[in-house]
Amino acid sequence: MANFKFDIDADGIALVTWDMPGKSMNVITGETIAELSAIVDKVIADAAIKGVIVTSGKDAFCGGADLTMLEKMGAIYADKLKREGEEKAAAYVFEESRKLSQLYRRIETCGKPWVCALNGTAMGGGFELALACHHRIASDNPKTRLGLPEIKVGLFPGAGGTQRVARILPPADALQFLLKGEQLKTDRAKAMKLIDAVVPAADLIKAAKEWIKGGGKAVAPWDEKGFRLPGGLVWSKAGMMTFTPANAIYRRETYDNYPAARAIMQVVYEGLQLDMDTALRVESRWFAKILRSPEAAAMIRTLFVSMQELNKGARRPPKEPASQLKKIGIVGAGFMGAGIAQVTAAAGLSVVLIDRDQETADKGKAGVHKSLTDRVNKGRMKSAERDVLLEKITPSGDYGALKDCDLVVEAVFEDRKVKADVIAKVQAVIRDDAIFASNTSTLPITSLATEFKDPKRFIGIHFFSPVALMMLTEIIVGKETGDRALAVALDYVRAIKKTPIVVNDTRGFYANRCVLNYIQEGHLMLLEGVPAAMIENTARMAGMPVGPLSLNDETALDLGLRIVRAAEHDLGPQAINPQQKQLLETMVEKLQRLGRKNGKGFYDYPQGAPKRLWPGLAELLPKKLTREEIDALDVNELKQRFLVVQAVEAARTFEEHVVTDVREADVGSILGFGFAPFTGGTLSYIDMMGTKNFVALCRKFEAKYGARFKPGKLLVEMAEKGESFYGRFAPPKAKAA
């Protein structure tokens, strides 16, 4: 066996150590399933074996299934569908996808006790293996996380996870755990009875052996006669009090956009009315159905495969040696700069935090201290960890402190003159091989680089706010930016555990171009007379995390007005919508409604109470629809407008070579501005609809609402040829597959 070590001690206890060669993490593959199946055969056949302990030879237990295995299964299904028809293609997916579930059930019913000794994190199918064992012991490793996060990539636990969790926890708790895909620390997992014990790491295997020698049962509770479900029968009073409201909550949270979430509700509801073997078969049926859904295929591709490839450096110049980053300079100790300092120090790098004077720089570090203290108070961090992190940040008003920095990131006010002044001061003191990065969201990098003595060493790194929470960074390559600057930027972003996308220089880059279209669409709907509540709700129904008016309040209305005016100044009046400009001028200059930052925008923000839409908004607007006109509005069309206006802009950026990799367009759209995750991203949304259908919809909206929906030449050409983005522009790995 290549992936497992198998040893039997004098007491007849087999120790199975999972240790995949050449990998930092154990994952479930076809090979591991076959090898573990052979181990189960041996355990059953050998009378000398009294029990089994399964553990890991790595720091973690298992990261879950290698989802590329499921992606390949989807490709085989598509091929069989063409050649052999739906019935045989579906049967193939069902039989293949249930192999792991059948294997785990054999472990559970083999007649010999199995203990899972969790020495570290166990996710997805790895944690499902633990649940199939008769006893679960975890080491007291504070980094251990246990969970079933499949919902986050459009799937659900398909190896018995839904059925075992729903027999350990009451249905309401089981549904919450499965639908959130949350990761638990060991103490919480034990309190929920998902694991049985937590012991010191040195005692892990010893404790597992003692449980077997102490007469540990080789029967799962749900296989014993008289087993009672922890939450009572589905049709009991308690059951009816769970599933009816759970269904309403599911609709409220997902708007039925996620087939996997609906399937979780279904398999738990159905499975709890059946014996375990039948319930597992029901789970497998639904898993095979969801695996064949376009939503699952798109989410697996974007949120697992593509993200992994980008995080591992898919866009890194191959000939550049690895960067040896030790000290990072950050200029600007405001909200953004302090956030960058925090994530940089958290990565173990030394940080010099510069501002105009020592007092201002100290305030920036104090902001980091407050942010980390909030985490300590919530139990998410230890005070000692906070103090170690803070020691890595040195605030200063002296630019000379940047002299030893490998990379300097400026995060000052979005103003050319301010940035030019900072660039001049920085380049006067840094080393001749240091890289300079501008954290700008709108200003073209090529023009900023003219202020720098060596444009090859000048690059853009656009962080999203709040820095600690947002996972995306846009790395902007100017016309003169060199490969080394790109390599250093990518190495830095990887070090701070963010996902990078590489974009070429243009106004607004990629993310802002798309999201500004989203906000504008909300403004224009408002001006059409669509009620504000309807705008916000239909946007969320479309899959966006927040409505466009709420998002504009968060980003600030005065910033939106500045962006509109800058576009008009630089590109001419045809580049903007005059109605949108007038709306923003009224809100900002006449009414002083700037957004959340001053407590009033499209929403009011009363102290100590939830935000609410500003009642005066309806009176402000030039057009008012009657009740009959509002009732006649097409909700589906409103939803489509929000997604299409972003996707058509994403296609334009691709045509203009701003974004050059389909993976980056999709990953960037979900992580950067929350584009409906169930679609797989902006370009996957177009592919899912089909370019022909998408172009037809664009033309319909163009005729009805204006030129912002006009499809570009590339889209029209692809529609005529019946091409898709992932077909025509497949990244190298996808082509090989």
Side-chain angles (χ1 to χ4, degrees):
M1 290 181 289
N3 300 294
F4 295 92
K5 295 171 187 171
F6 188 85
D7 301 292
I8 304 172
D9 70 6
D11 296 311
I13 297 173
L15 179 63
V16 178
T17 306
W18 192 355
D19 196 358
M20 297 182 78
K23 288 187 177 289
S24 58
M25 178 84 75
N26 293 322
V27 291
I28 294 165
T29 64
E31 264 190 359
T32 57
I33 293 172
E35 288 185 17
L36 188 56
S37 183
I39 288 170
V40 176
D41 289 340
K42 182 173 177 59
V43 168
I44 293 170
D46 191 341
I49 297 176
K50 307 302 180 188
V52 184
I53 300 165
V54 60
T55 191
S56 167
K58 302 186 185 296
D59 292 337
F61 181 74
C62 174
D66 179 358
L67 295 187
T68 56
M69 173 177 68
L70 300 182
E71 202 182 30
K72 288 172 186 173
M73 198 185 296
I76 295 171
Y77 164 76
D79 182 59
K80 281 183 174 288
L81 185 63
K82 288 178 185 175
R83 292 188 295 103
E84 301 176 33
E86 171 65 26
E87 188 175 336
K88 288 188 177 179
Y92 160 78
V93 175
F94 174 64
E95 293 300 338
E96 284 297 310
S97 64
R98 72 190 295 239
K99 283 181 177 177
L100 193 61
S101 179
Q102 291 174 312
L103 170 60
Y104 289 175
R105 185 60 174 159
R106 284 177 64 219
I107 288 172
E108 195 169 56
T109 59
C110 74
K112 296 181 181 180
W114 281 63
V115 182
C116 191
L118 296 159
N119 60 313
T121 291
M123 289 291 148
F127 191 50
E128 285 181 287
L129 170 57
L131 293 171
C133 291
H134 305 102
H135 196 65
R136 295 168 288 282
I137 305 175
S139 68
D140 58 355
N141 181 347
K143 293 182 179 179
T144 293
R145 297 292 182 271
L146 308 171
L148 300 171
E150 287 89 342
I151 191 69
K152 294 179 180 179
V153 289
L155 293 173
F156 69 88
T162 64
Q163 300 311 305
R164 293 186 178 96
V165 167
R167 285 162 172 77
I168 295 170
L169 303 177
D173 295 337
L175 288 172
Q176 187 172 28
F177 177 62
L178 293 165
L179 288 166
K180 282 188 172 181
E182 61 185 329
Q183 301 179 12
L184 307 176
K185 293 182 178 179
T186 52
D187 55 348
R188 190 160 168 231
K190 183 175 182 293
M192 292 169 70
K193 299 182 180 179
L194 291 170
I195 57 174
D196 301 298
V198 180
V199 301
D203 298 335
L204 184 62
I205 303 303
K206 178 186 171 187
K209 287 185 176 183
E210 285 175 354
W211 183 83
I212 293 172
K213 288 191 281 187
K217 276 189 178 182
V219 181
W222 37 88
D223 288 325
E224 292 194 274
K225 190 174 180 180
F227 171 71
R228 290 178 176 272
L229 294 169
L233 299 172
V234 167
W235 291 102
S236 68
K237 182 179 178 181
M240 294 304 290
M241 289 175 68
T242 296
F243 285 97
T244 303
N247 188 55
I249 293 167
Y250 153 76
R251 295 285 302 194
R252 182 192 71 194
E253 295 299 317
T254 71
Y255 296 98
D256 214 15
N257 285 323
Y258 294 86
R262 174 187 275 267
I264 286 172
M265 300 282 293
Q266 195 79 33
V267 296
V268 171
Y269 177 75
E270 292 181 6
L272 290 179
Q273 299 176 64
L274 303 167
D275 66 90
M276 190 61 165
D277 288 301
T278 310
L280 289 173
R281 191 173 179 85
V282 167
E283 181 193 71
S284 294
R285 289 282 186 203
W286 276 97
F287 186 77
K289 177 181 173 65
I290 296 306
L291 192 57
R292 302 191 328 265
S293 70
E295 291 87 353
M299 289 179 75
I300 289 170
R301 181 174 63 197
T302 298
L303 295 174
F304 180 79
V305 179
S306 294
M307 265 186 68
Q308 260 198 355
E309 289 169 357
L310 295 178
N311 286 335
K312 289 178 179 177
R315 295 300 310 282
R316 194 182 187 283
K319 294 180 181 178
E320 289 296 325
S323 312
Q324 303 299 320
L325 297 173
K326 294 178 182 176
K327 184 183 284 190
I328 309 297
I330 297 164
V331 183
F335 180 72
M336 183 64 77
I340 299 169
Q342 179 179 322
V343 298
T344 305
L349 298 168
S350 297
V351 178
V352 177
L353 184 60
I354 301 289
D355 214 302
R356 60 179 176 269
D357 52 46
Q358 187 67 47
E359 183 183 358
T360 311
D362 287 339
K363 282 181 182 177
K365 183 172 180 177
V368 178
H369 185 278
K370 181 182 182 304
S371 172
L372 296 176
T373 300
D374 288 344
R375 293 184 65 189
V376 171
N377 293 339
K378 291 174 183 176
R380 296 174 183 170
M381 188 181 212
K382 293 181 179 177
S383 56
E385 292 173 322
R386 174 199 62 194
D387 296 341
V388 168
L389 192 154
L390 287 168
E391 283 179 11
K392 293 186 176 296
I393 302 174
T394 304
S396 177
D398 179 12
Y399 277 78
L402 299 170
K403 64 180 180 180
D404 295 327
C405 291
D406 305 301
L407 168 69
V408 175
V409 181
E410 68 82 2
V412 298
F413 190 66
E414 197 79 348
D415 180 279
R416 283 185 182 279
K417 291 181 180 178
V418 175
K419 289 188 183 291
D421 181 56
V422 166
I423 291 168
K425 289 177 179 176
V426 171
Q427 68 182 343
V429 296
I430 61 172
R431 300 194 316 252
D432 288 341
D433 63 341
I435 303 301
F436 185 96
S438 174
N439 171 53
T440 177
S441 57
T442 55
L443 299 175
I445 288 298
T446 302
S447 61
L448 289 176
T450 59
E451 304 287 342
F452 196 71
K453 58 187 174 183
D454 184 4
K456 291 196 297 296
R457 295 190 283 124
F458 196 102
I459 197 164
I461 303 180
H462 175 211
F463 288 88
F464 293 79
S465 183
V467 178
L469 298 179
M470 297 297 284
M471 295 310 299
L472 187 76
T473 58
E474 279 183 312
I475 295 179
I476 304 105
V477 178
K479 287 182 180 177
E480 301 293 327
T481 302
D483 279 356
R484 184 171 169 274
L486 175 57
V488 169
L490 285 167
D491 290 346
Y492 167 63
V493 168
R494 185 177 183 183
I496 61 174
K497 295 181 172 61
K498 302 291 183 189
T499 296
I501 63 170
V502 179
V503 302
N504 289 317
D505 198 15
T506 188
R507 176 181 294 275
F509 314 127
Y510 170 65
N512 279 344
R513 278 181 58 169
C514 296
V515 81
L516 288 174
N517 270 19
Y518 172 61
I519 291 172
Q520 177 184 250
E521 203 61 27
H523 293 164
L524 298 181
M525 284 182 183
L526 201 59
L527 294 166
E528 291 166 18
V530 181
M534 195 172 190
I535 292 168
E536 297 292 87
N537 288 336
T538 51
R540 291 196 65 226
M541 289 167 70
M544 298 300 294
V546 295
L549 306 180
S550 179
L551 179 59
N552 199 182
D553 272 7
E554 295 294 333
T555 58
L557 273 66
D558 54 331
L559 173 61
L561 180 58
R562 282 204 306 273
I563 291 170
V564 168
R565 283 176 169 167
E568 183 180 33
H569 177 269
D570 294 349
L571 304 175
Q574 76 284 351
I576 67 155
N577 187 298
Q579 289 180 294
Q580 182 194 26
K581 178 187 173 186
Q582 186 178 358
L583 172 64
L584 288 171
E585 285 176 339
T586 301
M587 293 288 285
V588 172
E589 296 177 342
K590 290 184 181 178
L591 301 173
Q592 297 298 304
R593 301 190 71 86
L594 310 182
R596 182 183 280 277
K597 70 180 184 181
N598 78 332
K600 52 185 183 178
F602 290 109
Y603 286 77
D604 282 325
Y605 298 85
Q607 199 164 8
K611 70 179 183 181
R612 56 174 180 258
L613 280 162
W614 175 43
L617 201 53
E619 300 306 315
L620 177 70
L621 302 175
K623 187 174 182 180
K624 295 177 180 61
L625 299 182
T626 65
R627 169 51 56 189
E628 290 75 17
E629 287 173 320
I630 291 171
D631 289 343
L633 288 170
D634 186 339
V635 170
N636 193 50
E637 184 170 286
L638 294 176
K639 288 161 55 179
Q640 286 179 323
R641 281 173 63 181
F642 283 125
L643 299 186
V644 170
V645 80
Q646 296 176 80
V648 76
E649 187 65 21
R652 288 188 197 109
T653 66
F654 203 84
E655 183 176 352
E656 295 166 16
H657 303 290
V658 176
V659 179
T660 58
D661 190 310
V662 287
R663 296 171 296 186
E664 293 179 311
D666 277 346
V667 170
S669 65
I670 294 176
L671 297 189
F673 49 95
F675 187 85
F678 69 90
T679 67
T682 47
L683 300 187
S684 283
Y685 171 69
I686 296 172
D687 279 1
M688 194 184 292
M689 189 184 298
T691 47
K692 187 176 180 180
N693 292 333
F694 183 78
V695 166
L697 190 56
C698 285
R699 284 179 167 149
K700 173 188 168 184
F701 287 167
E702 181 189 5
K704 199 170 179 180
Y705 300 109
R708 62 188 181 277
F709 288 103
K710 183 178 181 179
K713 289 180 181 178
L714 176 63
L715 266 177
V716 172
E717 179 190 314
M718 289 172 65
E720 289 171 352
K721 294 180 178 179
E723 294 176 326
S724 67
F725 278 97
Y726 277 86
R728 178 166 169 173
F729 302 105
K733 282 194 177 181
K735 281 180 180 174

